Amino acid sequence: MQSNILAVPFRKGTQLSLSSAIRQYISTKYDQHPDMFRQDLEVIDALRRDAVNVREPHPSGVARLQAYAGQLVWIGGKFPIDIGADFTWYPALGYNTERPIVHNNLKFELANILYNLAALYSQLAISSNRSSTDGLKTAASYFTQSAGVLKHLKTDVIPELRTTPPEDMDEHTLDSLIQLQLAQAQECFWQKAVMDGYKDASIAKLAAKVSDLYNEAGEAAMRSEAISSSWIHHMSAKHHHFAAAAQYRAACDCLEKRKYGEEVARLRDAVACVTEGLRESRGGYLHKIVVDDLNGLKRKVEEDLKRAERDNDVIYLNPVPPKPELKILDRATMAAPRIPPQVSKPLDYLGEKGEFGPPLFTKLVPYSVHIAVSIYEERRDRLVNQNIIGELETLNERLHEVLSSLNLPGSLQAFEKPLGLPGTLVQHAEEIRQADALHRLQRSFADIDKLRAADLAVFEEGRNLLQAEEEEDAQLRRKYGTDRWLRPESRSEPDQGAKLWKQVTDAEGWFANSESSDGVVRDKFHSIEPMLAILAGQDRGLLDFVPSSRRTEIPETLKPAIGRLRSAYNNVTRLEGRRRRKAEALREKARSDDIKSDILAEAARLERTHAVATAIVPAHFEEFFEKRLDSLYESDLELVQAEASEQEKLITELIRVNREFESQKKVVGDKGNREREQALQKLENAYYKYKELVSNTEAGRKFYNDLSRIIGGFRDGARNFVTERRREARMLEDELNMPPLNNLNLGGQQGHVQQPLQPTGPSSNGWDAAGYQGQQQQQPHNPFLPPPTQPRQQVQSPLEAQIQSWAPAGETVAPQPQPPRANPMQGVWNPGVGIKFANTPPSSSATPSGGGRPVNSAQQDNRQVSGTWDRNSAIRFG
């Protein structure tokens, strides 16, 4: 590897099971089992393992790093940035390369992978054969891609890191590395131009741009905390080197153009630049190859300067312009950051046949997304069925009311078909028979009754639970009084009680309204049931019901009015048929409106844009819902208004034409047609009422099915609420039934009640017993008293352990076994004796050497360490 060009070193990462963190997150945050994604979990671990192990400049590493980075971008939309994996990476530059940096941050992992991709491009460029023009083109391409990846890292990844970037990824360091890669790419183009024998003027422009890029890299490096001094000196030396090379090539161009004075001036500037570059070698910062290149250029420039000065002084005698008067050299920029599309648009390379393979965890749907899908579907169905189809059906009902009031089409059919059955009536009768209309409606009513009864039973169960709890609470309040039973009633309980009782009121209203609606529908059915039976019967029954007209021919004066009325009526029926088809198309459109894929993309976008602590909830999709519903169904909503306007026009025309028809009938007389007209109209009305009943029963079935979910949630909430209220009641009742604190026995024995001591003066040891009793009531758990209810055991109690921990450092205080107490009343403090602190360790004189019997109190009074407290001395622990 040549040392006159710098390569970005790799960052070193440690192995980590990313799948474990993802599995844990799925199991806790998602409504799916992690085993559903076993293959994806194995793939993500394999991708990371391959990417982290890329540490050599081989082209195969590019695909491995890009594939893992692409999947990281994809799963960044599935999981939060702090997924629970501690990614550990070591810096590549700076003075802390042995100190790991650990972040629970997917963006930090992505930043490291992209940094290593840029480093790989850089090292591939240096390992290319730059002794040929093809090799130089390859190297320049790698350098520009390295700069592009670093630029993408700086502009698109680091800003989303949500934490302070490492030193070798801060703004100044990345700026320096980007300019360094571009400078080295431009240097490759300069070298290729030299090898290809380009003109000196073109080479000078290329060299000048190389110098500029090295200068920008060095200036950014000066502001960085991670770029080493040797790199800064290298960049500065390169800057001066190519400034000198640019002036040298410009001098050569001046010689060719016979500008001998300018040639001398540029050669002098070239010598000054190369001399400045050699100053960077002080301290041994520069590699020998860089120093040799500078010295070689200096010798060449000095030789040409001597020749130029001699020729100009002796032969040409051209004035030598000062440096400020020299024209600034033009720049030829060949190197620009080139971001690989696999980095800038990685999602385009994910797929079954994509370069990165299929995207991982595509079937992972958060629970909040499941809820959001249900909300959208419910809102969509309500919009379609109520706001569009419901309005269209309302318009149809209005239309049928008008037709029925005009006796249409019966009045027309009586004249047009005076004998037999009209064709439309035969079609309607056949439809009624095929649908088994009577039994269908009766089965629908039975189903609705079952659904209503089931919903009502569930509701009554929940309501009865609340009422039973309310009665229990009232009994306890009467028993203990309102001054002691202080908890609020269930109806006013702010968290759940008030909400549940409101649901009771709402549900009672729902059932009352639905009962009224069911009654209206059944009355409508009973009113047309005889006519439906005739339509569902044989044609002979229809012929018997519909009398024939006595007039078999239409009067000539009536034919024009009948023609106009038939035309207006056909327009109305066509309008209704078009609506029916539109309603069916809308239902099909709603059924095919699958939002899952789009809402997953929206959820991924929301997860990328929201803060770390923000969990995706259904409310976040409100704007998405509104836009989608507007885009899909806004035109249909506008259609309802257009339909209503058109219908009013057609009805107005129909009424006008029918008025003319009725006037003509009166002129010619309608004897023999009235009975037939009425029979035909009854059958037509029954048919349209049947269609309405079918729609009504479907709506009723849907209503009770939807109500069952709401009532079921109410019943479950009532169960949980009542269970919690009863538990609270038991705890409160137990608390109220407890004896007062002044009746508690400190000795812990129910059979031996120690009467409170009432001494008239101070005790023999100077302690006021009455004062102790007052203190005892204020602080019943004084840590300096032995446990009142537990007899002393042969093990160390937590209190003893706490006290013994106050012993001086290095001194071991072991608990001493104690014989069981013969009298349990010794656990009650007696003001006539001292206070004993836990297990006071006996001194060597406290126990005879030959036996284990402890000494008595009188003997202990003269000991240095005593278990009895003396108020004139300090308290000693241990």
Side-chain angles (χ1 to χ4, degrees):
M1 181 179 295
Q2 302 182 31
S3 299
N4 63 339
I5 288 183
L6 299 178
V8 180
F10 287 110
R11 291 175 66 88
K12 180 183 177 182
T14 61
Q15 294 297 333
L16 168 74
S17 178
L18 179 56
S19 63
S20 299
I22 296 177
R23 175 182 291 273
Q24 178 65 24
Y25 189 85
I26 291 175
S27 64
T28 56
K29 300 294 184 180
Y30 286 80
D31 190 30
Q32 291 165 284
H33 198 278
D35 288 344
M36 295 174 58
F37 310 97
R38 183 182 294 110
Q39 183 176 358
D40 291 346
L41 293 169
E42 294 173 354
V43 170
I44 195 65
D45 272 348
L47 287 173
R48 185 179 195 276
R49 183 170 55 253
D50 293 342
V52 170
N53 289 334
V54 174
R55 294 175 187 169
E56 296 294 335
H58 193 277
S60 63
V62 173
R64 288 186 282 174
L65 289 168
Q66 288 178 348
Y68 180 50
Q71 293 290 357
L72 281 178
V73 173
W74 168 256
I75 68 174
K78 289 283 185 181
F79 303 103
I81 193 171
D82 55 340
I83 195 172
D86 291 329
F87 300 104
T88 304
W89 289 87
Y90 290 84
L93 299 173
Y95 302 97
N96 298 308
T97 56
E98 299 300 322
R99 182 181 300 173
I101 300 175
V102 182
H103 284 301
N104 172 22
N105 191 316
L106 279 175
K107 290 294 183 182
F108 176 70
E109 172 83 344
L110 176 61
N112 282 277
I113 294 300
L114 292 178
Y115 188 98
N116 276 0
L117 179 59
L120 178 60
Y121 280 130
S122 176
Q123 296 188 25
L124 286 172
I126 293 179
S127 63
S128 301
N129 180 16
R130 289 183 289 121
S131 61
S132 65
T133 55
D134 290 340
L136 286 171
K137 289 171 60 178
T138 302
S141 175
Y142 280 136
F143 277 132
T144 54
Q145 290 183 85
S146 177
V149 174
L150 290 171
K151 182 180 180 181
H152 177 77
L153 175 63
K154 174 191 171 186
T155 58
D156 294 348
V157 179
I158 296 299
E160 297 181 1
L161 200 57
R162 299 177 185 171
T163 185
T164 303
E167 288 183 352
D168 57 345
M169 287 189 191
D170 65 9
E171 180 180 1
H172 301 306
T173 303
L174 292 179
D175 277 339
S176 177
L177 293 178
I178 292 170
Q179 299 304 321
L180 175 63
Q181 303 308 303
L182 292 177
Q184 295 178 155
Q186 184 80 10
E187 184 176 350
C188 290
F189 287 110
W190 167 84
Q191 188 174 353
K192 180 178 182 297
V194 172
M195 294 176 65
D196 290 343
Y198 278 49
K199 292 183 178 180
D200 290 322
S202 300
I203 297 175
K205 294 177 183 179
L206 292 171
K209 186 60 180 180
V210 175
S211 176
D212 292 346
L213 291 170
Y214 272 120
N215 183 48
E216 293 172 7
E219 289 180 353
M222 292 290 291
R223 297 189 295 269
S224 169
E225 298 291 336
I227 304 296
S228 65
S229 299
S230 60
W231 276 38
I232 296 174
H233 284 285
H234 175 93
M235 297 173 194
S236 180
K238 283 281 191 173
H239 160 60
H240 293 300
H241 182 174
F242 280 94
Q247 292 289 25
Y248 172 73
R249 288 290 178 171
C252 294
D253 182 62
C254 290
L255 175 62
E256 183 180 353
K257 296 178 179 178
R258 299 180 180 183
K259 298 179 181 180
Y260 304 112
E262 184 178 345
E263 176 195 8
V264 173
R266 293 195 180 278
L267 287 174
R268 287 175 181 175
D269 190 56
V271 171
C273 289
V274 76
T275 302
E276 192 68 27
L278 284 170
R279 290 179 182 176
E280 301 293 336
S281 63
R282 298 173 184 175
Y285 290 108
L286 298 183
H287 194 275
K288 184 177 182 298
I289 296 178
V290 178
V291 177
D292 292 344
D293 289 343
L294 285 167
N295 285 323
L297 177 60
K298 184 179 181 181
R299 287 193 297 269
K300 177 63 176 172
V301 173
E302 287 177 342
E303 291 175 359
D304 284 9
L305 178 59
K306 289 179 182 179
R307 185 226 6 112
E309 287 178 336
R310 183 178 63 251
D311 291 348
N312 189 55
D313 291 343
V314 174
I315 303 173
Y316 307 114
L317 302 176
N318 286 351
V320 178
K323 180 178 179 180
E325 295 182 5
L326 291 176
K327 180 185 176 182
I328 298 177
L329 297 177
D330 293 332
R331 268 64 172 168
T333 303
M334 298 297 296
R338 187 161 60 90
I339 306 175
Q342 294 88 341
V343 175
S344 60
K345 298 179 179 179
L347 301 185
D348 294 345
Y349 294 84
L350 292 173
E352 293 297 332
K353 298 181 180 180
E355 184 178 333
F356 298 162
L360 303 179
F361 307 104
T362 53
K363 297 181 180 179
L364 185 62
V365 181
Y367 181 70
S368 60
V369 175
H370 283 291
I371 301 299
V373 169
S374 301
I375 292 174
Y376 173 80
E377 291 176 348
E378 179 182 355
R379 193 172 300 177
R380 176 202 63 203
D381 292 343
R382 184 168 64 250
L383 174 68
V384 171
N385 294 325
Q386 295 183 8
N387 297 5
I388 302 177
I389 296 179
E391 291 297 324
L392 293 177
E393 290 178 348
T394 301
L395 290 175
N396 285 340
E397 291 176 5
R398 156 77 175 149
L399 195 61
H400 293 153
E401 290 176 0
V402 172
L403 292 175
S404 179
S405 66
L406 299 177
N407 284 329
L408 290 174
S411 60
L412 270 176
Q413 293 172 346
F415 278 95
E416 294 176 337
K417 185 75 174 176
L419 300 175
L421 299 175
T424 54
L425 180 62
V426 173
Q427 293 176 4
H428 292 165
E430 184 62 25
E431 183 180 342
I432 294 292
R433 296 188 195 106
Q434 293 292 333
D436 193 13
L438 283 171
H439 293 96
R440 177 183 179 180
L441 290 176
Q442 290 167 353
R443 286 193 299 270
S444 296
F445 290 142
D447 293 341
I448 289 174
D449 289 341
K450 290 179 182 178
L451 291 173
R452 175 184 170 82
D455 291 350
L456 193 58
V458 173
F459 166 68
E460 289 177 346
E461 179 184 352
R463 183 179 60 183
N464 292 340
L465 285 170
L466 292 176
Q467 291 174 344
E469 190 282 327
E470 185 179 38
E471 179 60 28
E472 294 168 4
D473 184 70
Q475 291 177 0
L476 292 171
R477 185 170 280 101
R478 288 192 295 269
K479 177 179 179 181
Y480 293 101
T482 56
D483 57 337
R484 300 180 68 195
W485 195 261
L486 299 177
R487 75 168 183 168
E489 297 180 357
S490 61
R491 291 180 183 268
S492 57
E493 198 273 332
D495 293 333
Q496 289 292 328
K499 178 181 177 182
L500 289 170
W501 279 107
K502 184 179 183 302
Q503 289 180 351
V504 169
T505 304
D506 293 343
E508 288 174 344
W510 296 335
F511 281 110
N513 292 336
S514 65
E515 184 178 11
S516 175
S517 299
D518 293 347
V520 171
V521 173
R522 290 175 187 272
D523 291 343
K524 186 190 296 186
F525 169 71
H526 293 314
S527 67
I528 66 168
E529 188 175 7
M531 295 297 103
L532 283 181
I534 294 173
L535 285 170
Q538 300 296 325
D539 287 345
R540 174 54 57 185
L542 280 173
L543 289 171
D544 293 342
F545 179 76
V546 179
S548 297
S549 176
R550 297 176 186 175
R551 186 187 304 234
T552 57
E553 292 183 0
I554 303 175
E556 291 297 328
T557 57
L558 196 59
K559 286 183 179 180
I562 292 176
R564 289 192 294 271
L565 183 59
R566 168 56 66 183
S567 177
Y569 178 75
N570 289 341
N571 290 336
V572 170
T573 56
R574 279 194 294 269
L575 176 66
E576 183 185 7
R578 188 178 67 207
R579 284 179 186 164
R580 190 176 300 111
R581 292 190 296 272
K582 181 62 178 177
E584 289 301 323
L586 266 173
R587 291 189 181 97
E588 182 60 32
K589 180 180 178 181
R591 283 192 292 268
S592 61
D593 181 13
D594 188 1
I595 196 179
K596 293 184 177 62
S597 59
D598 292 338
I599 204 171
L600 285 175
E602 177 68 9
R605 187 190 68 80
L606 290 171
E607 287 175 345
R608 288 193 300 269
T609 56
H610 277 74
V612 175
T614 303
I616 300 299
V617 297
H620 289 146
F621 297 96
E622 285 298 325
E623 183 179 357
F624 173 72
F625 290 163
E626 293 295 331
K627 290 181 179 179
R628 185 181 180 90
L629 290 173
D630 288 345
S631 64
L632 291 178
Y633 303 104
E634 184 66 28
S635 60
D636 299 314
L637 286 170
E638 295 173 355
L639 174 67
V640 174
Q641 301 299 326
E643 288 282 322
S645 177
E646 183 179 0
Q647 175 171 304
E648 289 303 318
K649 293 179 181 179
L650 292 178
I651 288 177
T652 302
E653 178 66 16
L654 183 66
I655 293 174
R656 185 187 66 81
V657 174
N658 186 74
R659 189 181 300 115
E660 295 177 357
F661 171 71
E662 292 293 333
S663 299
Q664 291 295 328
K665 277 203 309 182
K666 291 179 181 179
V667 172
V668 301
D670 57 349
K671 297 179 180 179
N673 284 345
R674 176 64 61 183
E675 294 82 3
R676 181 176 176 83
E677 176 183 330
Q678 292 176 350
L680 291 173
Q681 191 61 40
K682 286 181 181 179
L683 294 174
E684 286 292 331
N685 290 342
Y687 170 76
Y688 286 113
K689 290 289 180 65
Y690 162 73
K691 303 294 285 187
E692 293 176 9
L693 286 171
V694 171
S695 178
N696 295 150
T697 54
E698 290 298 325
R701 185 182 289 108
K702 184 179 185 304
F703 169 79
Y704 285 113
N705 281 326
D706 294 341
L707 185 62
S708 67
R709 293 194 294 269
I710 300 174
I711 297 301
F714 158 74
R715 189 265 314 274
D716 296 339
R719 282 178 176 174
N720 296 334
F721 175 73
V722 169
T723 301
E724 182 64 21
R725 290 273 293 183
R726 286 172 173 168
R727 186 187 67 81
E728 289 178 357
R730 287 194 299 269
M731 293 176 60
L732 184 57
E733 194 172 13
D734 292 342
E735 181 179 345
L736 293 175
N737 289 331
M738 289 179 62
L741 290 177
N742 56 7
N743 293 335
L744 295 179
N745 179 14
L746 294 178
Q749 299 292 332
Q750 297 293 332
H752 303 276
V753 179
Q754 179 75 19
Q755 296 295 329
L757 300 175
Q758 301 290 340
T760 58
S763 61
S764 59
N765 61 0
W767 187 271
D768 188 352
Y772 170 76
Q773 291 290 345
Q775 182 183 7
Q776 177 186 7
Q777 293 180 4
Q778 294 175 3
Q779 299 179 358
H781 299 291
N782 195 323
F784 294 102
L785 292 179
T789 58
Q790 299 293 334
R792 185 169 297 279
Q793 304 293 325
Q794 295 185 1
V795 296
Q796 182 181 11
S797 68
L799 181 60
E800 293 168 341
Q802 181 183 4
I803 294 176
Q804 289 183 6
S805 67
W806 298 338
E811 179 180 348
T812 303
V813 184
Q816 300 298 321
Q818 298 291 333
R821 295 179 182 270
N823 183 7
M825 293 307 297
Q826 292 180 3
V828 180
W829 177 72
N830 189 341
V833 299
I835 300 175
K836 185 172 182 179
F837 296 88
N839 288 333
T840 303
S843 63
S844 58
S845 59
T847 303
S849 60
R853 183 178 61 84
V855 298
N856 56 30
S857 300
Q859 292 173 329
Q860 289 186 1
D861 289 337
N862 297 325
R863 305 298 182 195
Q864 184 178 0
V865 179
S866 173
T868 303
W869 176 64
D870 183 2
R871 69 174 182 171
N872 295 321
S873 60
I875 299 176
R876 180 186 175 98
F877 298 94

